[in-house]
Amino acid sequence: MEGVDHLASERSRAQFDVEEMKVVWAGSRHALEVSDRISRLVASDPAFRKDNRTSLSRKELFKNTLRKTAHAWKRITELRLSEEEASRLRFYVDEPAFTDLHWGMFIPAIKGQGTEEQLQKWLPLAYKMQIIGCYAQTELGHGSNVQGLETTATFDPQTDEFIIHSPTLTSSKWWPGGLGKVSTHAVIYARLIIDGKDYGVNGFIVQLRSMDDHLPLPGITVGDIGMKFGSGAYNTMDNGVLRFDHVRIPRDQMLMRVSQVTREGKFVQSNVPRQLVYGTMVYVRQTIVADASCALSRAVCIATRYSAVRRQFGSQNGGVETQVIDYKTQQSRLFPLLASAYAFRFVGEWLKWLYTDVTQRLQANDFSTLPEAHACTAGLKSLTTSATADGIEECRKLCGGHGYLCSSGLPELFAVYVPACTYEGDNIVLLLQVARFLMKTVSQLGSGKKPVGTTAYMGRVDQLMQCHCAVQRAEDWLKPSVILEAFEARSARMSVACAQNLTNFANPEEGFLELSADLTEAAVAHCQLIVVSKFIEKLKQDIPGKGVKEQLEILCNIYALFLLHKHLGDFLKTGCISPKQASLANDQLRSLYSQARPNAIALVDAFDYTDHFLGSVLGRYDGNVYPKLYEEAWKDPLNDSVVPDGYQEYIRPMLKQQLRNARL
Amino acid sequence: MEGVDHLASERSRAQFDVEEMKVVWAGSRHALEVSDRISRLVASDPAFRKDNRTSLSRKELFKNTLRKTAHAWKRITELRLSEEEASRLRFYVDEPAFTDLHWGMFIPAIKGQGTEEQLQKWLPLAYKMQIIGCYAQTELGHGSNVQGLETTATFDPQTDEFIIHSPTLTSSKWWPGGLGKVSTHAVIYARLIIDGKDYGVNGFIVQLRSMDDHLPLPGITVGDIGMKFGSGAYNTMDNGVLRFDHVRIPRDQMLMRVSQVTREGKFVQSNVPRQLVYGTMVYVRQTIVADASCALSRAVCIATRYSAVRRQFGSQNGGVETQVIDYKTQQSRLFPLLASAYAFRFVGEWLKWLYTDVTQRLQANDFSTLPEAHACTAGLKSLTTSATADGIEECRKLCGGHGYLCSSGLPELFAVYVPACTYEGDNIVLLLQVARFLMKTVSQLGSGKKPVGTTAYMGRVDQLMQCHCAVQRAEDWLKPSVILEAFEARSARMSVACAQNLTNFANPEEGFLELSADLTEAAVAHCQLIVVSKFIEKLKQDIPGKGVKEQLEILCNIYALFLLHKHLGDFLKTGCISPKQASLANDQLRSLYSQARPNAIALVDAFDYTDHFLGSVLGRYDGNVYPKLYEEAWKDPLNDSVVPDGYQEYIRPMLKQQLRNARL
Ligand SMILES: Cc1cc2nc3c(=O)[nH]c(=O)nc-3n(C[C@H](O)[C@H](O)[C@H](O)COP(=O)(O)OP(=O)(O)OC[C@H]3O[C@@H](n4cnc5c(N)ncnc54)[C@H](O)[C@@H]3O)c2cc1C
Ligand SMILES: Cc1cc2nc3c(=O)[nH]c(=O)nc-3n(C[C@H](O)[C@H](O)[C@H](O)COP(=O)(O)OP(=O)(O)OC[C@H]3O[C@@H](n4cnc5c(N)ncnc54)[C@H](O)[C@@H]3O)c2cc1C
């Protein structure tokens, strides 16, 4: 961090201990130490340079990523990094690659769905990267509806093999990351057919490419599906297409933890409960929520620092102009996102705990909390990824024109992030699952079955349908109990209203379809309540460090009151609060923005991101934006020559009115 | 449109005359004929191919654009196209280029700010493209605050010249399109300095490059500012950086329609009113609103067609699955955007009329409507561009995973469109201008000064503060008078509430800053009212064609009720409607979606876009999506070889555990 710190005066205004906040953000002193050390390791290694990414051609870009993954793996083994350190290293290298799917989907799928023998055979190979695997579920014709997959795996009792086949064009596997060019193996999902009978979708381990020369094995057609959103961004990944022409695999490559096919071709359900699959989903989605807080905090860090550097208007008598971060409109767009980043961080932390809890219960054969945990992770995945995608783009707009330059880092961050709204469950489809769960919860309220976990508040539904918000002055909105009650009442009332409307339909399934837009809104209300309540719970913990807890309280209130303002219609329509109380909330929110203002820079410093990781001229730690923007510009290939290629053929003839005879 | 029409059954369900709707969308039979003919001309010319755009390197991409602009100009002159036809041709070529700024900003700036002699000297050169011009206002340090520009134009009475100079790094011109590599000339904005006195910002025509060899003239440093959002997209444009080192231009190159500098160095204001500048702004922003409806309709066309092709879930007994367009959640996201596209089209049409009206009044020295027209165009620019940017991204999400592929056309459409939220006035800064105008209007209500034009309803403020919505049944929401009253009451009440809150501040300017977030919301409410009311006005016209008006009525109601739902908090908080009435509006909205459903495909067909213009595999007219997606994939450069470049160096050593000694 060379030279003058243009943001020094901002930093000196902070009213809390930034180093302690870093610990809170990281989760623990240990986590901070690891993150800090590994991020600096990556930042200082020229092999991990990424500033030229947006100007590389697809082939150059991809080869470059292969180089980085190999280099990363080399460093991981050389330095004997722990699993935690290795995963941090991949994170800070900050480039989507086949390794994400290998570690994040292929291995967990085998772990979750393989038998003991299968784990023993495949995991050591995968851990050493002697094989590279991907996760091939989605097909050209089916994504959300996994039960509609068309690929077949037909048991051949003669040879004790499965024959994997793509019967139609739409059955081509389509999208799996790492499939296009790299993976040697895949976990693929296909309909199990025995003796002409369809046993539904199951997972299989299939080798795709030769270990000798990397050529696709006989019967396999595989390639990359082409350019995706943005330059750089997700184009470092080889999302692939895959077709099978009667490819044979041994019977023991079906993942058989839950269902088995015997030598005789008998289909057997093991005594392992099917619900185990949900455990893996809880795991994967929990990592997605954690990623959301990372991506959003990164965008917020860039926009906040630049908003403190950027000055526009308001100069009196030739003095300096106003920093745009001082405009209330800028604050009302930026600070809720800052608060959201912290909120998502804490709910992510809690989800990690939830996953451990669920896993322990599963081991003890207790499935009681699973549906609730599953609905909750599905909903939080949807909520946080949608808000993050929108939030990154808002941060880009908050940077005015300069945010549109790749050197701001924001276009690529957006482009690489947005598919999180679609993969691992389309966000709307997930909300519908949450809604289904909520309707079930409401319908069982009379039955004496007590709602658990994040739906426990539904147990107090009678009270919540009646309660009146007690706010009389703006400051009353700072009380956690007041906020919680308002959010609980809103969510409960929306769910109950939906449930009542459903009773107007003779066929409940038809009713669900007809009212599905309202149902997704009830699901959102429920999920927002979870985030708010987990933030409030976090604040009940002992949090050391001067001023740290006070800042988090401000952020928590900003998050809650911003949501209240944004979804005011819900709160008013269900009668949870009055118009007068809404105005008071708004007044309180403005005052919270003023309180957050002097701490804004320090609050983003607490993310502890290196300039390398941020990858943004606008978000530089030292705030030295303009000279660096200027410097970056000249690196564009178009500036290689003063007169552009094409002048002689196209521009000159136009200017000289000599186009008539030109061949163009 | 080869082969089978997979959407034929959809088309046959339409309940209106599509050909007549095409006329309505185009604006007239003549406009339709021109658009249709020119779009086919472009689509059938292989020189205008654009499907490879996202895989080209920056240099290839840019050269390719130069070729296309030259080819377009050649065709325009060969075919002796009219001005209207030529501009349609540039539109359908659909590639941002220096010509956009030449025709859209350079020429209008000279026309608006030049004297008669200046027009006679410069326009003929520009019309024949013997010179190419750009519009250089923004600097590295100043965009929104034009009065803060730092470039100086100092009058030298000795030589009768201005000396153009960039005194600081931040005074570098930065962003102007066409500046980086192509323009020979620019209209630049600089502080006029005479005898040490600063006369504020004025416009000057400056030659940048030699007409002989295209090299920058002495004292001029110029280049491209680098990669922007997305691949392809706006990277076809050479947005530029420009620095002046004491560059001299003759005095008569200051644009002197409004202010003049005499030979003696006297600064003189002409009797032409300064407000004229606003006339140009009204013009430019009106074109931006028209562009918004084009961009949004394009995205909606893609998402609608694909939603009818895509099937997911809901298959009974192995039958076909449900088209995703039949899901109410899909409809509730898609149809409001379809309605918005039509709404923006009509408000754009009306703005064209407004521009003519304002121009005629200016010529008759009537400035009375100018502030209102200016606020109204500023607000509509902000409203329509923000909604369009968000809408395109929503359409992309509506296409699930496949929307993330460049071959869907949506990523590039988004990336190329979003800067419209920033250029020609940052959307928030514009809303603040609208709010300022609204506060002025409210404050003058008592004075007897009658609000005009789009603020006329404020004249009925007493009644609007009192009125009670009369809706009792869902169908009541179909009455234009009911909708209008609700929107007028909401907007008036929000403005009045802001005005009242402002009186709590001793210093009104401070109050404005403090309440600015609320003020922008009042501005949005006002602008939405304008769009709704112009849609309703349009429907009062005679609109021929079977079922055409009925469909437009459905869309108008969808647009209004969707806004009501989205901003329900405003309507409830200000007491314009009751919670019960809100529920009825929601019921009505659902039923409108069902009415729109069978007509959806025909309603997007009415945009009359060719497959070339749409540039989307998902949006193909014939709905033949899957084979074409599959075909497109294989064209990616990564698929040139089966084993990727980099396998030997990076993948193989990893698999073979031989990285240790590798140089990476
Ligand atoms: C970058 C990226 C990486 C990916 N990586 C992998 C991978 O490694 N492995 C893998 O197997 N897959 C992968 N995928 C695929 C991904 O999992 C799917 O795209 C995702 O599941 C969404 O499914 P879809 O594309 O079929 O969307 P669709 O289901 O076709 O969605 C289209 C629209 O229909 C709506 N819709 C669908 N069903 C319903 C319903 N029942 N009710 C209401 N609305 C509905 C959706 O909301 C959406 O608006 C990846 C995708 C992307 C974009
Ligand atoms: C693709 C593209 C093409 C362009 N083409 C041209 C061109 O041809 N010629 C040309 O001259 N320029 C051009 N521009 C520049 C463009 O006009 C400016 O970017 C635009 O005016 C916005 O100004 P800014 O970038 O300074 O934003 P800023 O004003 O720096 O905005 C930053 C943030 O500050 C906020 N803000 C600023 N002022 C206030 C205020 N008073 N109150 C509250 N909030 C405020 C904004 O809302 C925003 O969130 C182009 C820009 C782009 C992106």
Side-chain angles (χ1 to χ4, degrees), chain A residues 54 58-59 63 66-67 70-71 73-74 128-130 140-145 169-170 174-175 181 211-212 214 216 223-231 234 241 243 310 312-313 321 328-329 332-333 393 396-397 400-402 404 406 411 414-415 418-419 421-422 428 513-518 521 565 569 572-573 583 586 590 626-627 629-630 633 636-642 644-645 647 649-650 652 654-657 659-660 662 664, chain B residues 54 58-59 63 66-67 70-71 73-74 128-130 140-145 169-170 174-175 181 211-214 216 223-231 234 241 243 310 312-313 321 328-329 332-333 393 396-397 400-402 404 406 411 414-415 418-419 421-422 428 513-518 521 565 569 572-573 583 586 590 626-627 629-630 633 636-642 644-645 647 649-650 652 654-657 659-660 662 664:
Chain A
T54 56
R58 182 82 206 278
K59 273 184 178 170
K63 187 172 177 184
L66 294 182
R67 183 181 56 72
H71 184 67
W73 186 237
K74 190 180 171 196
K128 286 195 230 141
M129 300 208 79
Q130 289 175 297
L140 196 44
H142 287 91
S144 299
N145 182 16
L169 179 74
T170 47
W174 188 270
W175 270 120
K181 292 286 146 185
M211 300 308 291
D212 291 330
H214 209 62
D224 186 274
I225 59 170
M227 285 287 287
K228 289 148 291 189
F229 204 155
S231 43
Y234 220 84
V241 44
R243 288 184 60 77
R310 185 70 171 173
Q312 210 74 193
F313 295 103
E321 293 169 273
K328 270 273 153 357
T329 45
S332 70
R333 295 155 71 203
E393 172 60 8
R396 197 190 61 68
K397 293 207 183 88
H402 301 345
Y404 190 61
C406 286
F414 181 76
V418 283
C421 298
T422 305
I428 298 298
L513 284 172
E514 180 65 20
L515 300 179
S516 59
D518 295 349
E521 291 178 8
H565 182 70
L572 292 175
K573 192 176 165 190
S583 291
N586 210 22
R590 266 205 319 277
Y626 296 118
L629 263 178
Y630 192 80
D636 192 276
L638 268 193
N639 289 325
D640 288 352
S641 64
V642 178
D645 192 15
Y647 165 70
E649 300 99 301
Y650 310 122
R652 190 178 166 85
M654 195 184 295
L655 289 167
K656 303 298 176 196
Q657 317 288 298
L659 274 182
R660 193 172 293 259
L664 303 169
Chain B
T54 55
R58 180 84 206 276
K59 271 183 178 171
K63 188 172 177 185
L66 294 181
R67 182 182 55 72
H71 184 67
W73 185 237
K74 191 179 171 199
K128 284 195 234 143
M129 299 209 79
Q130 289 175 298
L140 196 45
H142 287 90
S144 297
N145 181 15
L169 178 75
T170 47
W174 188 271
W175 271 119
K181 293 285 146 183
M211 301 307 293
D212 291 332
D213 55 13
H214 210 63
D224 186 272
I225 59 170
M227 284 288 285
K228 290 148 291 189
F229 204 153
S231 45
Y234 220 84
V241 44
R243 290 184 59 77
R310 185 71 170 172
Q312 209 76 192
F313 296 103
E321 294 170 273
K328 272 271 150 10
T329 46
S332 70
R333 295 155 73 203
E393 172 60 7
R396 197 190 60 68
K397 293 207 182 89
H402 301 344
Y404 190 61
C406 285
F414 181 75
V418 283
C421 299
T422 306
I428 298 298
L513 284 173
E514 181 65 20
L515 300 178
S516 58
D518 295 348
E521 290 177 9
H565 182 71
L572 292 175
K573 192 177 165 190
S583 291
N586 211 22
R590 266 206 318 278
Y626 296 117
L629 263 177
Y630 192 81
D636 192 276
L638 270 192
N639 290 324
D640 289 351
S641 63
V642 177
D645 193 15
Y647 165 70
E649 302 100 300
Y650 310 123
R652 190 178 166 84
M654 194 184 295
L655 290 167
K656 303 296 173 196
Q657 317 289 299
L659 272 181
R660 194 174 292 260
L664 301 171

Side-chain angles (χ1 to χ4, degrees), chain A residues 235-294:
Chain A
N235 293 303
T236 56
M237 180 73 87
D238 54 329
N239 294 95
V241 44
L242 167 64
R243 288 184 60 77
F244 296 103
D245 182 4
H246 301 92
V247 172
R248 290 176 169 267
I249 58 167
R251 181 170 53 89
D252 68 4
Q253 286 180 209
M254 169 170 159
L255 290 170
M256 298 222 203
R257 186 167 181 198
V258 177
S259 319
Q260 285 132 32
V261 174
T262 66
R263 177 63 191 93
E264 297 73 37
K266 260 188 58 185
F267 181 78
V268 190
Q269 295 275 20
S270 80
N271 53 3
V272 178
R274 290 214 139 240
Q275 289 99 320
L276 265 184
V277 189
Y278 291 121
T280 315
M281 274 194 182
V282 172
Y283 171 76
V284 174
R285 286 181 186 155
Q286 161 252 312
T287 64
I288 294 185
V289 172
D291 288 347
S293 79
C294 290

Side-chain angles (χ1 to χ4, degrees), chain A residues 135 137-138 143-144 176-177 422 426, chain B residues 310 313 327 329-330 333 398 401:
Chain A
Y135 182 89
Q137 177 175 302
T138 308
S144 299
T422 305
D426 169 272
Chain B
R310 185 71 170 172
F313 296 103
Y327 291 115
T329 46
Q330 193 85 351
R333 295 155 73 203
L398 283 162

Side-chain angles (χ1 to χ4, degrees), chain A residues 310 313 327 329-330 333 398 401, chain B residues 135 137-138 143-144 176-177 422 426:
Chain A
R310 185 70 171 173
F313 295 103
Y327 290 114
T329 45
Q330 193 86 353
R333 295 155 71 203
L398 283 162
Chain B
Y135 183 89
Q137 177 174 303
T138 307
S144 297
T422 306
D426 169 272

Side-chain angles (χ1 to χ4, degrees), chain A residues 19 22 25-26 32-33 35-37 39-40 92 301 305 603-610 613:
Chain A
E19 294 305 316
K22 284 185 186 171
W25 177 264
L32 173 61
E33 185 279 320
S35 284
D36 195 71
R37 179 164 43 84
S39 68
R40 280 161 214 280
Y92 285 116
C301 181
R305 288 184 182 157
L603 283 167
V604 302
D605 285 349
F607 303 145
D608 199 38
Y609 292 144
T610 62
F613 182 65

